[in-house]
Amino acid sequence: MKPVTLKEIADQLNISVTTVSKALKDYPDISKKTKALVKELAQTLNYKPNAFAVNLRTKESKTIGLIIPEIVHHFFSSVIKGIVAQAEKKGYLVIILQSNESYELEKKQIQLLLRQRVDGILISLANGTADYNHLTDVLAQDKPLVMFDKIAKIVKCSKVIIDDRKAAYAATQHLIDTGCKRIAHFRGALLPQNSIDRFLGYKKALLDNNMPYDPSLVYICECGDNSFEEGKMNARQLLKDHNDVDGIFINTDLVAIGAITEFNEQGVKIPEDISIVGFSNWFMSSVISPTLTTIDQPGYQMGKAAFKQLYKEMQQVKNKEPIVYESIVLKTELVKRQSTKEVLLGEG
């Protein structure tokens, strides 16, 4: 069936299209009787406003773009839920795109969203992103852009993050407080800012406790995907390289669970032989054996905060006000489980 038009409603009621339009929008200069007749007929005919025409008139698409590295990741799925929940409250549709950690794909997706005339863009950068011209293109068009989790500090826009250095410091300090003397770090890829900051937090905790920093104890995620297999591989290599390591701070829970699985298979006792702290508090962290001590990363809250900031900036654009950039830092906490020992008496 063809969509019902305002003209069809007007013809049936023998009134003007303008009167129908005003009645549907509750204009005060239209009588209650006319409004009731128009709305009743519109409902009977299943009239739906022409979204395209509305968008042209209001210069809003009521859609936003969301680009994330991967959808299936527990943290990002939580972020999506937070964004969508807030977007629905404000009547926005969310176009979700996955960059697969690819800079080239991320660039194409930005251009696609701009062609779709989205009202704003939310993005967590791909590991491979080192050039930011595609992001400055967004800002040059006065299009609100909010970055979250994996960000670029040099891009001038709003950001929603955690204090990765502080969280990594707390994770490493916990290992030290429980008696670990030789602590390794399974870090993410070299480029993402959060991977850099977690490494720096780990390193600072060692130095602040007068423990030497040994670069041979840092295992870089060569594949760039922070995978379960990467955790198994790094754990296997660690056992070959260093038989004196008694603690590991690992960049993400999925990698940590891979390491725990490998150690279990190799007969390495956790935490008696090696203590492990992960990052993100994925639900699997509480069901793996032993359960994983980790940093709780508030994905849902990050998604909510990211959309709220984007919405604020979209309203500023709509009202022809200057966009006010903000940096929002969410709190994290250490969740202690079985993969680490009890804190030594008088420590921590």
Side-chain angles (χ1 to χ4, degrees), residues 5-51:
T5 66
L6 292 178
K7 187 174 186 307
E8 289 174 75
I9 297 173
D11 288 345
Q12 288 198 35
L13 294 175
N14 198 27
I15 57 179
S16 70
V17 172
T18 301
T19 301
V20 172
S21 178
K22 284 186 171 185
L24 290 172
K25 294 171 187 172
D26 276 324
Y27 272 58
D29 58 336
I30 304 299
S31 70
K32 289 182 179 179
K33 181 181 177 182
T34 301
K35 286 180 184 178
L37 287 170
V38 169
K39 289 179 180 179
E40 184 180 357
L41 183 57
Q43 186 173 1
T44 302
L45 297 176
N46 196 28
Y47 168 75
K48 303 292 182 188
N50 184 322

Side-chain angles (χ1 to χ4, degrees), residues 25 28 93 169 187 198 207 218 228 249 257 289 302 320 331 339 346:
K25 294 171 187 172
L93 178 72
Y169 188 103
R187 65 167 288 173
R198 289 174 199 178
L207 298 178
V218 177
F228 175 86
F249 165 50
I257 289 168
S289 182
M302 184 172 283
K320 297 181 180 178
K331 292 181 179 179
S339 66

Side-chain angles (χ1 to χ4, degrees), residues 11-169:
D11 288 345
Q12 288 198 35
L13 294 175
N14 198 27
I15 57 179
S16 70
V17 172
T18 301
T19 301
V20 172
S21 178
K22 284 186 171 185
L24 290 172
K25 294 171 187 172
D26 276 324
Y27 272 58
D29 58 336
I30 304 299
S31 70
K32 289 182 179 179
K33 181 181 177 182
T34 301
K35 286 180 184 178
L37 287 170
V38 169
K39 289 179 180 179
E40 184 180 357
L41 183 57
Q43 186 173 1
T44 302
L45 297 176
N46 196 28
Y47 168 75
K48 303 292 182 188
N50 184 322
F52 183 71
V54 171
N55 293 344
L56 283 176
R57 187 173 65 251
T58 63
K59 296 182 180 180
E60 291 181 288
S61 68
K62 281 294 182 177
T63 60
I64 64 164
L66 169 61
I67 301 177
I68 55 174
E70 51 181 324
I71 292 173
V72 296
H73 192 287
H74 160 72
F75 170 71
F76 287 117
S77 65
S78 298
V79 171
I80 291 171
K81 288 178 183 176
I83 290 169
V84 170
Q86 293 301 307
E88 285 184 345
K89 289 180 182 179
K90 297 295 185 180
Y92 279 82
L93 178 72
V94 184
I95 301 173
I96 303 171
L97 301 172
Q98 178 173 289
S99 68
N100 292 326
E101 300 288 8
S102 165
Y103 163 64
E104 292 299 331
L105 182 54
E106 183 181 283
K107 281 199 303 181
K108 291 178 183 176
Q109 290 172 341
I110 287 285
Q111 294 306 313
L112 171 66
L113 291 173
L114 291 175
R115 287 197 299 271
Q116 291 295 318
R117 300 186 182 279
V118 295
D119 296 331
I121 297 175
L122 297 168
I123 186 169
S124 182
L125 297 180
N127 283 343
T129 299
D131 181 275
Y132 309 116
N133 287 334
H134 59 309
L135 302 178
T136 54
D137 284 347
V138 176
L139 298 169
Q141 296 185 32
D142 290 327
K143 191 77 67 176
L145 173 74
V146 175
M147 306 174 80
F148 64 91
D149 187 45
K150 294 198 285 185
I151 66 162
K153 288 184 176 179
I154 65 172
V155 177
K156 292 182 179 180
C157 67
S158 291
K159 302 171 181 80
V160 182
I161 56 172
I162 60 170
D163 190 332
D164 283 288
R165 290 195 198 191
K166 183 178 179 181
Y169 188 103

Side-chain angles (χ1 to χ4, degrees), residues 301-334:
Q301 288 77 11
M302 184 172 283
K304 283 179 63 176
F307 178 82
K308 284 182 176 180
Q309 181 59 33
L310 186 71
Y311 180 76
K312 186 188 295 184
E313 295 183 11
M314 290 188 297
Q315 294 305 110
Q316 289 166 348
V317 169
K318 183 178 179 181
N319 297 328
K320 297 181 180 178
E321 300 168 355
I323 294 178
V324 180
Y325 299 137
E326 295 184 35
S327 284
I328 300 166
V329 183
L330 303 179
K331 292 181 179 179
T332 58
E333 66 173 309
L334 179 74

